[in-house]
Amino acid sequence: MAIVKDNILLQLVNGSLGDIITIYVRNGQIIMAKKRGPSTLPPSSKQLLARLRMKIAAALALEMIKDPDVKAAFAAKAGPGQNAFNMAVKEAYKMPIVQETELPPAKKNIPPQKKRDGIKNLLIPEHLLHPEKLLSGKLFPEKILPEKKWPEKKLP
């Protein structure tokens, strides 16, 4: 961000130049800044809650201003640069139904199970399913103890 001084050209310019720079006036000073873009981070729970509350307040405000008398009352309260809808949203946001709103419980993102393409019927020796049996140094128990057959299990 840069504050621009003594530049006659930029005193007449405001807005964005491409996707790179934004020029605006704040408190009488000309400011040049990098153009803001959308956030790349997922929204926090506070942000999601604020968005949900604003959606509810806007929906309530739309219902309130359908009545012409209520709309006229809100228009009378509106200051410069405001309208009846802005005032209705402001009032609706203060309502207990909006303020007491909570986020629904988060859904657990359980990845879809991968298909096993015929692996279900594969027989695996039990000693491979239990690695603690391999710790004794007997990597191939059927060669060491040929008389004992290892039971086989099917995968679920």
Side-chain angles (χ1 to χ4, degrees):
M1 183 173 80
I3 297 173
V4 179
K5 295 182 180 179
D6 300 329
N7 191 326
I8 297 171
L9 178 64
L10 291 178
Q11 289 179 355
L12 304 173
V13 176
N14 64 6
S16 294
L17 298 173
D19 291 335
I20 301 170
I21 296 175
T22 300
I23 302 169
Y24 57 96
V25 177
R26 177 153 305 146
N27 296 329
Q29 294 181 325
I30 302 168
I31 299 173
M32 290 180 67
K34 180 182 176 192
K35 187 170 181 183
R36 293 196 42 139
S39 176
T40 58
L41 300 175
S44 68
S45 59
K46 283 185 176 183
Q47 288 172 325
L48 292 172
L49 181 60
R51 291 175 188 178
L52 177 64
R53 287 180 177 171
M54 188 56 81
K55 282 181 184 178
I56 295 170
L60 286 171
L62 280 174
E63 289 298 316
M64 286 192 284
I65 63 173
K66 285 183 179 178
D67 182 11
D69 296 333
V70 175
K71 185 175 182 176
F74 281 130
K77 284 176 68 175
Q82 294 179 325
N83 57 29
F85 178 73
N86 298 141
M87 299 309 293
V89 169
K90 184 177 177 181
E91 290 298 319
Y93 198 83
K94 295 176 186 176
M95 290 179 156
I97 191 170
V98 174
Q99 290 301 315
E100 294 170 3
T101 302
E102 295 294 327
L103 282 175
K107 295 178 183 176
K108 293 182 180 178
N109 290 336
I110 301 171
Q113 294 214 351
K114 296 179 181 176
K115 293 186 178 179
R116 293 187 180 177
D117 295 337
I119 295 180
K120 262 190 172 178
N121 299 326
L122 181 66
L123 297 174
I124 297 176
E126 187 176 341
H127 70 278
L128 293 178
L129 294 175
H130 300 285
E132 64 272 2
K133 293 183 179 180
L134 297 176
L135 294 177
S136 64
K138 300 176 181 178
L139 295 176
F140 302 101
E142 58 269 4
K143 290 184 180 178
I144 296 169
L145 302 171
E147 69 279 356
K148 185 174 180 181
K149 296 285 184 182
W150 294 94
E152 297 180 344
K153 288 189 175 181
K154 286 188 175 184
L155 286 177

